[in-house]
């Protein structure tokens, strides 16, 4: 329990007392929604925790219906709170007549509400010390399950076969099903090998007691056999195939055999680590020999000192010195654990196993960061061990979703060669119905709600639980809102509204944990999410997955599809093609015979950028100077022994490479592995709720590159289905004040985006008539208004002119200045100049990504919408591509992908020209190679023929 819980209880108690006194009825129940609006930091989970601490006789949280003679909005079930003050205790604490007389002579009498709140807070402080439960367990026990709407008997146990068959009989069906196939059910496959049976018998007993597992699937047994033989292992099987058991059991067996052993488990997110912590603790609790074993998470949320008990005891120090198993993430390992050489030496000396979960996440730049972090980890383990035989002793086990090269991917990340691959999935699964749905088919004016909302309503009628995946945060919020509006419009479905939630990046950790817990406990039946829920967080049994938009990769599609049927029942995986050009392109391919559900997985690759390697080499030298076998170490883990002279300082006195002073005092803090600069974290924008509560609170924090196009005065910001108006923007403090409003529309920003070169640092001249330049750029957006778009129909309601403050960020980019003759030539051939440049920049961006080897999503260009294209200010004619991330100066990152593109400029221009010249878009617009899923203007205002002319001019010799 942390101090924040006490502060939230104090605010909660204050509001309850004042509302009760205002209404003149201290025993009347209070609507939970009113309390949540009055205390913005409060959640329903918090109220459930308060109930668990104080007891249900003092505080009770329950569901009420309109039949209970209580005020229920829209005639829907709603949460109510009964909060009573012990009358006997009140009487005992009431001042006597003599005390009241004495107070009159010394001070003003304490108001009755203040005394009541103080008494409640005293009781809370006394009882919280006696509670041994965590907030999560209390919320799970005392949060009441939602009322289940009455359903007909035919819907209680309807099979998934019937659900899919009856889809075509629904009123909203307009022949949208393009294909419907069934991935047949698979039975469990068990093994005949018995090597894994050598594990301690108490491990098997714990597995049976906690999970009822008597026999392992074939892939589980095979992987554990390899681990027991001392091999490194990578397991690549389907979602929900029981991969976590593969490392949990050997961890427990290792701790029984060697109580001094240390194990490190690395997850990509804090949420996943917390989720798996509970499962591991449950197993350990059933093994008497491990009763004193400490298993803990260590991440950015781990406090340095506990909020209660002994303040002198550092919680992180306890974990470091006493924990046998630490569950963490690459960020914490990089910034907090590896640099603290002296403090962590004993842990590294005892480290025997490293687990890497969700291996497939570590691709591109993040993959390269993690590869270097693991190389630093192995070096620390080697130097902390007296024998210096790290490679023979330390064991790696990794779990991955299906990719085409899991073994090679793990070798890239760990630099290990003896890796055994386990990919033959022995887990059972029910039949999976695979449906491709075209939402644009046969649209009529009678359609009032989207297909997604109607399908969700149909699934709820069939008593099914589902996840709806959306590609963007805004799409997630809009889809969530439309679903709740659809449910509210139906008397039959209205009661389900409280069982639908949204889940996406940007929500606070407390909000995400609340949603995850509600799903796991069955309190939430539908969750609308972004890819944040692709990872294996256990959210309970699900019947269906709806993908609102065709996923960009096959791996992502199957990762999402695997979220349903996690308890061996039949499931539905539905892909809904939308009207976006990328979806239209995929549907055009499907019409030619391409199967969207083909299991053709791309290989997992990591980046090889020199700036990342140099940064981690500096971190390694800071941790311990590179003395022995430096060339071998640098060449093996960083790819080029010449990096030492670029990145490090030679110390002639000790004959070693040392970390340069410019990187100190803490080099790791200057290397952010999920973005490219720690400055970006400092530049986050805050959306602050300016009214509607006792105090202002931060609604959400937004990255600078995202803020450029989402924060503008007059705009509507969506958060958990609620609409907030952006009233005032303060560019100095990077803060936007918002107020909650109830409107039926959202907004789309109308803006000018200017990417202006600031300072050139390098250039090349592929042809005599132009230069390819790299340097600092400034990316700035100026809001000139916005469009109001109806939430339900997505049709334009109104165009508003309103200037908004200019937002900017510094980055780095490459650009090509074009002469006026190019513009004249485009006009003479009947091409739109802005649309032609827009297309040429898309082609240039894609070519840079291919040639240099970086993710195309990292790069961006100046996407120009048709509406404002003819209102641009005069400026030089140029093609420009910039890095999406925020940088202070290109000099600091001179070895990144864009500066490297300068030397490869000739090949980049030739590739871009060749792709556009060979583009088949003259046959069908959806086949155009210039289409980009990341285009901010949704690929509008693009001319392929004009872009072809621009690129051919660049590739020509005159």
């Amino acid at each position: 329990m942390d101090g924040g819980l006490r502060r939230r209880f104090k605010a909660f108690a204050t509001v309850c007392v004042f509302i009760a006194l205002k209404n003149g009825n201290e025993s009347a129940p209070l609507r939970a929604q009113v309390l949540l609006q009055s205390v913005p930091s409060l959640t329903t989970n918090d109220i459930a925790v308060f109930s668990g601490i104080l007891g249900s006789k003092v505080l009770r949280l329950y569901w009420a219906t309109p039949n209970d003679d209580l005020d229920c909005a829209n005639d829907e079930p709603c949460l109510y709170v009964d909060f009573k003050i012990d009358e006997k205790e009140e009487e005992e604490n009431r001042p006597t007549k003599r005390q009241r007389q004495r107070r009159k002579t010394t001070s003003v009498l304490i108001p009755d509400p203040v005394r009541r709140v103080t008494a409640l807070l005293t009781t809370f402080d006394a009882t919280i010390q006696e509670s041994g439960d965590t907030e999560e367990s209390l919320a799970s026990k005392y949060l009441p399950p939602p009322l289940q709407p009455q359903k007909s008997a035919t819907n209680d146990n309807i099979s998934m076969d019937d659900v899919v068959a009856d889809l075509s009989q629904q009123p909203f069906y307009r022949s949208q099903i393009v294909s419907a196939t069934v991935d047949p059910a698979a039975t469990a496959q068990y093994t005949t090998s018995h090597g894994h049976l050598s594990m301690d018998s108490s491990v098997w007993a714990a597995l049976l007691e906690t999970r009822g597992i008597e026999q392992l699937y074939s892939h589980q047994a095979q992987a554990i056999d390899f681990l027991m033989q001392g091999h490194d292992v990578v397991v690549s099987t389907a979602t929900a195939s029981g991969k976590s058991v593969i490392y949990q059991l050997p961890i427990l067996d290792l701790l029984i055999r060697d109580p001094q052993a240390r194990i490190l488990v690395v997850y990509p997110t804090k949420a996943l680590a917390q989720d798996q912590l509970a499962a591991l603790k449950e197993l350990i609790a059933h093994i008497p020999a491990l009763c004193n074993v400490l298993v803990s998470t260590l991440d950015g949320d781990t406090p340095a000192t506990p909020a209660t008990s002994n303040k002198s005891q550092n919680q992180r120090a306890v974990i470091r010195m006493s924990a046998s198993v630490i569950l963490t993430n690459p960020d914490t390992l990089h910034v907090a654990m590896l640099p603290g050489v002296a403090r962590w030496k004993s842990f590294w000396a005892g480290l025997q196993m490293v687990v890497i979960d969700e291996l497939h996440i570590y691709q591109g730049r993040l993959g390269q960061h993690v590869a270097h972090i693991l190389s630093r980890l192995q070096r620390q383990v080697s130097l902390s061990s007296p024998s210096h035989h790290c490679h023979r002793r330390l064991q790696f086990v990794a779990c991955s979703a299906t990719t085409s090269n899991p073994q090679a991917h793990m070798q890239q990340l760990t630099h290990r060669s003896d890796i055994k691959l386990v990919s033959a999935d022995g887990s059972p699964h029910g039949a999976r119905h695979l449906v491709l749905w075209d939402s644009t088919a046969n649209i009529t004016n009678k359609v009032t709600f989207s297909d997604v909302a109607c399908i969700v309503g149909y699934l709820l009628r069939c008593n099914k639980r589902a996840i709806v995946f959306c590609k963007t945060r805004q799409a997630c919020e809009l889809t969530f809102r439309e679903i709740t509006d659809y449910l509210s419009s139906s008397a039959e479905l209205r009661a389900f509204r409280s069982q639908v939630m949204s889940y996406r990046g940007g929500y606070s950790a407390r909000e995400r944990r609340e949603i995850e817990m509600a799903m796991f406990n069955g309190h939430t039946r539908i969750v609308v999410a972004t890819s944040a829920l692709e990872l294996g967080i256990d959210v309970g049994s699900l019947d269906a997955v709806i993908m609102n938009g065709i996923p960009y990769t096959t791996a992502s599609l199957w990762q999402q599809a695997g979220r349903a049927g996690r308890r061996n029942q039949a499931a539905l995986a539905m892909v809904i093609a939308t009207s976006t050009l990328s979806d239209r392109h995929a549907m055009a391919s499907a019409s030619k015979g391409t199967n969207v559900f083909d299991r053709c997985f791309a290989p997992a690759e990591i980046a090889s950028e020199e700036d990342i390697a140099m940064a981690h080499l500096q971190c390694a030298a800071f941790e311990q100077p590179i003395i022995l076998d430096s060339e071998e170490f640098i060449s093996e883990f960083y790819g080029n022994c010449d990096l030492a002279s670029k990145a490090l300082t030679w110390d002639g006195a000790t004959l070693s490479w040392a970390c340069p002073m410019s990187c100190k005092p803490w080099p790791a803090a200057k290397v952010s592995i999920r973005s490219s600069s720690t400055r970006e974290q400092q530049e986050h924008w805050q959306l602050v709720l300016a009214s509607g509560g006792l105090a202002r609170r931060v609604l959400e924090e937004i990255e600078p590159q995202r803020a450029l196009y989402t924060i503008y005065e007059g705009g509507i910001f969506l958060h958990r289905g609620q609409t907030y108006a952006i009233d005032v923007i303060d560019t100095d403090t990077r803060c936007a004040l918002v107020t909650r409003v109830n409107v039926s529309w959202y907004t789309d920003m109308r803006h000018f985006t200017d990417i202006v070169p600031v300072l050139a640092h390098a250039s090349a001249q592929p042809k005599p008539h132009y230069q390819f330049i790299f340097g600092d750029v400034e990316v700035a957006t100026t809001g000139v208004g916005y469009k109001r778009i109806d939430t339900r129909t997505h049709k334009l309601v109104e165009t508003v002119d309103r200037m908004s403050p200019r937002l900017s960020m510094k980055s780095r980019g490459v650009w090509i200045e074009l002469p006026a003759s190019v513009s004249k030539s485009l006009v003479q051939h009947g091409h739109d100049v802005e649309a032609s440049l827009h297309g040429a920049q898309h082609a240039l961006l894609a070519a840079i990504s291919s040639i240099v080897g970086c993710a195309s999503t990292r790069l961006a260009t100046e996407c120009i919408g048709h509406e404002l294209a003819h209102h641009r200010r005069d400026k030089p004619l140029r093609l420009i591509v910039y890095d999406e991330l925020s940088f202070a100066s290109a000099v600091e990152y001179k070895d990144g992908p864009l500066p490297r593109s300068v030397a490869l400029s000739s090949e980049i221009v030739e590739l871009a020209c060749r792709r556009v010249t060979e583009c088949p878009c003259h046959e069908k617009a959806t086949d155009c190679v210039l289409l980009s899923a990341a285009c901010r203007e949704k690929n509008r205002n693009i001319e392929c023929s004009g872009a072809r002319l621009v690129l051919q001019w660049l590739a020509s010799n005159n």
Side-chain angles (χ1 to χ4, degrees):
M1 307 281 184
D2 58 22
L5 185 68
R6 185 182 188 275
R7 290 191 296 271
R8 295 194 294 276
F9 176 77
K10 182 178 180 180
F12 165 77
T14 302
V15 170
C16 288
V17 168
F18 275 87
I19 291 177
L21 292 178
K22 178 182 178 182
N23 295 336
N25 186 352
E26 299 179 15
S27 60
L30 304 173
R31 274 188 62 195
Q33 187 61 33
V34 174
L35 300 174
L36 296 178
Q37 292 176 358
S38 301
V39 186
S41 60
L42 195 68
T43 66
T44 51
N45 271 21
D46 290 332
I47 302 177
V49 172
F50 300 156
S51 177
I53 293 173
L54 297 175
S56 57
K57 291 184 179 180
V58 177
L59 175 61
R60 184 168 69 96
L61 183 65
Y62 62 95
W63 284 95
T65 67
N67 297 329
D68 297 325
D69 295 327
L70 294 173
D71 181 22
C72 292
N74 301 320
D75 293 330
E76 300 176 17
C78 54
L79 277 170
Y80 264 83
V81 176
D82 276 344
F83 194 13
K84 296 180 172 41
I85 301 175
D86 190 330
E87 295 297 337
K88 182 178 180 181
E89 183 178 348
E90 254 186 62
E91 192 65 37
E92 290 176 352
N93 292 332
R94 196 181 302 278
T96 63
K97 181 176 180 180
R98 178 173 296 179
Q99 288 173 329
R100 291 197 298 271
Q101 291 293 334
R102 188 182 299 117
R103 286 179 179 175
K104 286 181 181 179
T105 63
T106 58
S107 62
V108 179
L109 184 65
I110 297 177
D112 194 52
V114 176
R115 181 181 59 78
R116 293 181 182 224
V117 171
T118 303
L120 290 169
L121 199 57
T122 302
T123 304
F124 181 83
D125 289 339
T127 53
I128 195 174
Q129 299 294 337
E130 303 171 4
S131 175
D133 292 328
T134 63
E135 290 185 38
E136 289 78 7
S137 61
L138 287 173
S140 178
K141 291 177 185 177
Y142 291 92
L143 186 65
L147 300 177
Q148 298 298 324
Q150 294 183 352
K151 297 182 287 293
S152 62
T154 58
N155 284 349
D156 284 341
N157 297 302
I158 186 170
S159 69
M160 190 55 70
D161 291 339
D162 293 334
V163 169
V164 176
D166 291 346
L167 260 176
S168 59
Q169 307 301 318
Q170 300 307 307
F172 56 84
Y173 185 71
R174 309 180 309 277
S175 301
Q176 295 103 315
I177 295 180
V178 176
S179 66
T181 58
V182 179
D183 189 16
T187 58
Q189 301 296 318
Y190 300 103
T191 186
T192 57
S193 65
H194 303 287
H196 56 282
L197 298 178
S198 61
M199 287 192 299
D200 192 277
S201 59
S202 61
V203 175
W204 296 110
L207 188 65
L208 179 62
E209 290 176 17
T210 59
R211 304 180 190 178
I213 297 176
E214 298 180 355
Q215 191 174 4
L216 296 180
Y217 301 135
S218 57
H219 68 281
Q220 293 173 328
Q222 183 186 11
I224 292 176
D225 285 349
F226 283 142
L227 288 173
M228 300 297 286
Q229 295 166 16
H231 299 288
D232 296 328
V233 177
V234 58
V235 183
S236 178
T237 53
T239 305
S241 58
K243 291 191 285 287
S244 59
V245 171
I246 292 171
Y247 57 81
Q248 288 172 349
L249 300 189
I251 286 175
L252 301 177
D253 183 69
L254 176 59
L255 292 176
I256 293 173
R257 289 187 288 106
D258 184 0
Q260 301 304 315
R262 296 294 182 263
I263 296 99
L264 186 69
V265 189
V266 182
Y267 296 97
T269 65
K270 292 183 285 188
L272 198 54
Q274 292 287 349
D275 184 59
Q276 293 297 322
L277 175 66
L280 195 56
K281 280 186 171 181
E282 184 183 26
L283 284 169
I284 289 176
H286 288 77
I287 301 177
L290 301 181
C291 61
N292 294 322
V293 166
L294 174 62
V295 179
S296 178
T297 57
L298 181 66
D299 52 43
D301 294 337
T302 305
T305 56
T308 57
S309 73
N310 185 6
K311 293 284 186 178
S312 64
Q313 190 178 29
N314 188 301
Q315 186 170 339
R316 285 177 173 252
V318 171
I319 296 171
R320 184 173 61 248
M321 294 183 293
S322 306
S324 297
V325 184
I326 293 180
L327 289 70
T328 188
N329 52 66
D331 311 74
T332 303
L333 179 59
H334 161 61
V335 175
M337 298 174 71
L338 289 173
V341 178
R343 295 194 300 269
W344 285 92
K345 186 173 182 178
S346 61
F347 185 86
W348 301 138
L351 187 63
Q352 296 189 31
M353 181 180 290
V354 177
V355 179
I356 308 172
D357 201 13
E358 306 290 350
L359 182 77
H360 60 282
I361 295 296
Y362 305 122
Q363 300 189 46
R365 288 177 59 86
L366 177 60
Q368 185 184 357
H369 278 293
V370 172
H372 293 320
I373 291 170
L374 293 177
S375 72
R376 289 161 50 198
L377 167 66
Q378 293 179 69
R379 179 171 181 254
Q380 291 283 14
V381 173
S382 177
L383 295 177
S384 300
S385 171
S387 61
H388 284 203
H389 291 313
C390 154
H391 293 283
R392 289 201 296 270
R393 182 174 59 82
L394 188 60
Q395 194 171 22
F396 281 84
V397 54
C399 298
S400 172
T402 306
T403 63
S404 65
N405 64 335
Q407 192 173 22
H409 186 211
M410 185 176 176
Q411 288 173 343
Q412 285 183 306
L413 288 172
T414 62
H415 301 278
R416 309 294 283 257
S417 56
D418 179 25
I419 297 176
K420 298 296 184 181
L421 171 63
V422 177
S423 58
D425 195 342
S427 64
H429 64 80
R432 183 174 285 113
H433 294 264
L434 309 174
V435 176
L436 177 59
W437 180 285
D438 188 356
S439 63
T440 66
N442 305 316
I443 294 179
T444 66
N445 292 330
K446 295 181 180 180
V447 177
T448 55
F449 287 97
S450 71
D451 289 354
V452 175
C454 296
I455 291 169
V456 167
Y458 171 64
L459 291 175
L460 287 172
R461 288 189 182 95
C462 296
N463 197 26
K464 303 299 180 184
R465 300 180 67 235
I467 285 182
V468 180
F469 280 109
C470 301
K471 290 183 176 180
T472 66
R473 294 183 182 184
Q474 186 184 54
C476 175
E477 294 287 354
L478 291 173
T479 302
F480 169 64
R481 176 150 185 160
E482 185 168 23
I483 289 172
T484 55
D485 288 346
Y486 175 76
L487 299 180
S488 298
S489 68
S490 168
E492 178 188 3
L493 297 173
R494 195 170 296 149
F496 283 115
R497 182 176 176 178
S498 61
Q499 300 179 44
V500 181
M501 288 187 175
S502 58
Y503 185 105
R504 63 169 176 81
Y507 290 171
S508 68
R510 289 182 61 248
E511 288 176 317
R512 291 196 299 271
R513 297 300 86 75
E514 178 185 3
I515 298 167
E516 291 161 9
M517 187 181 302
M519 289 202 68
F520 182 79
N521 293 334
H523 297 174
T524 297
R525 302 185 67 83
I526 303 292
V527 63
V528 185
T530 58
S531 57
L533 263 185
E534 277 187 22
L535 299 181
I537 298 171
D538 192 355
V539 290
S541 179
L542 299 172
D543 304 294
V545 168
I546 300 172
M547 290 161 262
N548 190 20
I550 301 175
Y552 297 129
T553 66
T554 303
S556 180
L557 187 153
W558 282 103
Q559 187 76 1
Q560 293 178 13
R563 298 298 275 159
R566 293 176 68 90
R567 295 296 183 268
N568 197 26
Q569 77 270 22
L572 168 66
M574 177 182 287
V575 174
I576 298 181
T578 64
S579 59
T580 61
L581 284 177
S582 58
D583 279 14
R584 292 298 94 203
H585 176 68
M587 292 301 293
S589 299
S591 66
K592 298 176 183 178
T594 302
N595 185 0
V596 172
F597 294 100
D598 271 346
R599 296 178 184 266
C600 183
F601 298 99
E605 301 288 348
I606 69 173
S608 57
E609 299 183 10
E610 194 171 282
D611 60 333
I612 295 178
M614 290 174 61
H616 284 280
L617 191 56
Q618 291 164 346
C619 293
F622 172 80
E623 290 153 10
Q624 294 199 44
I626 302 173
I627 303 173
L628 299 177
D629 299 325
S630 60
E631 290 189 1
E632 179 183 349
F633 169 74
I634 296 170
S635 179
E636 178 181 358
F637 292 113
Y638 296 93
N640 183 358
C641 61
D642 293 334
L643 284 179
S645 59
K646 295 182 181 180
L648 306 176
T649 300
W650 177 253
D651 186 346
T654 60
L655 300 179
S656 64
W657 292 105
C659 179
M661 289 299 297
S662 59
C663 299
K664 295 180 179 180
W666 205 258
K670 300 181 180 181
V671 183
S672 178
I673 71 173
R674 297 183 194 264
S675 63
S676 293
S677 175
T678 53
R679 292 179 181 82
E680 185 189 358
Q681 302 299 325
Q682 300 169 5
E683 293 173 355
H684 277 195
W685 280 76
Q686 289 186 329
L687 290 177
V688 179
L689 188 59
S691 61
L694 295 178
R696 295 181 178 182
R697 72 175 175 107
V698 177
L699 185 71
E700 192 166 323
E701 291 191 349
I702 302 179
E703 304 91 329
Q705 65 272 21
R706 196 183 300 273
L708 291 177
Y709 302 97
T710 56
I711 296 181
Y712 50 97
E713 291 184 355
I716 294 295
F717 187 82
L718 297 165
H719 181 85
R720 301 195 70 175
Q722 302 297 329
T723 49
Y724 297 86
I726 302 175
D727 299 324
V728 180
I729 295 175
D730 187 341
T731 56
D732 293 331
T733 61
R734 291 184 172 269
C735 175
L737 297 181
V738 302
T739 53
R740 185 171 174 176
V741 294
N742 186 17
V743 296
S744 59
W745 39 265
Y746 64 97
T747 58
D748 187 15
M749 184 181 187
R750 301 168 60 236
H751 64 274
F752 292 122
T753 298
D754 292 314
I755 308 166
V756 182
V758 177
L759 182 64
H761 292 284
S763 66
Q765 195 163 8
K767 300 290 183 179
H769 52 287
Y770 73 91
Q771 284 188 318
F772 191 97
I773 307 169
F774 161 73
D776 296 337
V777 300
E778 181 184 51
V779 184
T781 59
T782 302
V784 297
Y786 50 87
K787 300 175 185 176
R788 288 179 176 171
I789 303 173
D790 186 86
T791 304
R792 183 177 301 175
T793 65
H794 302 289
K795 293 183 178 179
L796 179 65
V797 176
E798 181 184 9
T799 299
V800 178
D801 293 326
R802 178 173 176 177
M803 295 299 295
S804 186
R806 179 177 180 269
L807 307 185
S808 65
M809 73 173 190
K810 294 179 180 179
S811 187
R812 56 184 178 181
V814 292
W815 62 91
I816 299 173
E817 302 285 358
L818 301 175
S821 59
V822 174
S823 176
K824 292 179 181 179
S825 178
L826 288 170
V827 173
Q828 288 173 359
H829 287 81
H831 300 303
D832 183 284
V833 176
E834 297 285 0
S836 300
L837 296 180
H838 189 184
Q841 290 178 132
H842 273 213
L844 195 65
L845 184 152
I848 292 174
S849 174
S850 299
I851 297 290
V852 178
C854 69
S856 60
T857 52
R858 175 182 172 174
L859 306 178
T861 188
E862 191 174 22
C863 295
I864 305 162
H866 179 75
E867 179 189 5
L868 299 176
H870 302 292
H871 300 278
R872 307 282 293 171
R873 279 84 64 230
D874 291 334
K875 63 179 184 180
L877 205 65
R878 68 169 66 94
L879 305 179
I880 191 164
V881 174
Y882 69 96
D883 201 307
E884 273 271 63
L885 303 179
S886 177
F887 297 96
S889 171
V891 176
E892 297 181 66
Y893 301 93
K894 58 182 179 298
D895 297 301
L898 288 181
R900 292 208 312 272
S901 69
V902 175
L904 302 169
S905 56
S906 180
E907 292 89 334
I908 289 170
V909 171
E910 288 177 5
L911 177 61
C913 182
R914 184 170 65 253
R915 283 178 172 175
V916 175
T917 301
E918 298 172 356
C919 179
C921 68
H922 60 279
E923 299 175 5
K924 203 165 190 179
T926 54
D927 291 332
C928 183
V929 298
L930 299 181
L931 300 184
S932 170
C935 179
R936 299 193 186 281
E937 293 296 332
K938 301 177 182 178
N939 295 295
R940 294 172 295 202
N941 195 38
I942 285 181
E943 270 197 25
C944 187
S945 55
R948 187 180 299 118
L949 191 150
V950 174
L951 292 170
Q952 286 175 346
W953 179 86
L954 291 176
S956 67
N957 292 318
N958 51 47

